[in-house]
Amino acid sequence: QVQLVESGGGLVQPGGSLRLSCAASGNIFKINDMGWYRQAPGKERELVAVIIRGGSTNYAESAKGRFTISRDNVKNTVYLQMNSLKPEDTAVYYCNGNICTNYWTCNDVWGHGTQVTVSS
């Protein structure tokens, strides 16, 4: 059984910063892409940022210049540093990883989410 557990969410004022973490645990052979998604009330889940195993990254336009995704392949952990936060960043943030339990078997795994609220 493989699971992803997010942490680091909370309430922050506009202009503030938060750092989200997501740790994978269980029977892990290898982790390919890892990413962060978010879902605001009444909206669809959207991609925030993704990082491949080798370190290349891709960001949503709304995240460029403010958010930084990184990963530690030894700790099987992905991070999202969020700066200059805006009220419109308020959402539940979900971690996703393409996780392989052996050479042949890889599946997309989702965390349960962590709430980020940006408000004064």
Side-chain angles (χ1 to χ4, degrees), residues 73-113:
N73 290 331
V74 174
K75 296 181 178 179
N76 290 328
T77 299
V78 64
Y79 307 95
L80 186 68
Q81 176 67 44
M82 303 186 294
N83 300 326
S84 303
L85 283 161
K86 306 174 182 179
E88 51 264 43
D89 294 317
T90 295
V92 178
Y93 283 70
Y94 295 91
C95 174
N96 171 269
N98 184 256
I99 301 177
C100 306
T101 52
N102 56 52
Y103 187 84
W104 303 273
T105 306
C106 304
N107 294 291
D108 275 348
V109 179
W110 289 90
H112 290 103

Side-chain angles (χ1 to χ4, degrees), residues 9-24:
L11 173 64
V12 63
Q13 292 186 341
S17 298
L18 281 176
R19 188 189 194 213
L20 305 183
S21 299
C22 172

Side-chain angles (χ1 to χ4, degrees), residues 2-18:
V2 175
Q3 63 175 354
L4 294 173
V5 179
E6 302 100 333
S7 61
L11 173 64
V12 63
Q13 292 186 341
S17 298
L18 281 176

Side-chain angles (χ1 to χ4, degrees), residues 10-85:
L11 173 64
V12 63
Q13 292 186 341
S17 298
L18 281 176
R19 188 189 194 213
L20 305 183
S21 299
C22 172
S25 62
N27 179 28
I28 299 170
F29 173 70
K30 184 180 70 171
I31 303 178
N32 295 316
D33 297 358
M34 299 189 81
W36 288 96
Y37 294 72
R38 68 186 183 187
Q39 187 166 18
K43 296 188 176 182
E44 293 187 353
R45 191 174 297 187
E46 63 177 5
L47 173 70
V48 177
V50 64
I51 183 168
I52 69 171
R53 183 170 178 82
S56 295
T57 59
N58 193 30
Y59 295 91
E61 284 297 323
S62 59
K64 287 180 180 178
R66 299 188 299 128
F67 295 0
T68 302
I69 189 170
S70 60
R71 65 189 286 172
D72 184 328
N73 290 331
V74 174
K75 296 181 178 179
N76 290 328
T77 299
V78 64
Y79 307 95
L80 186 68
Q81 176 67 44
M82 303 186 294
N83 300 326
S84 303
L85 283 161

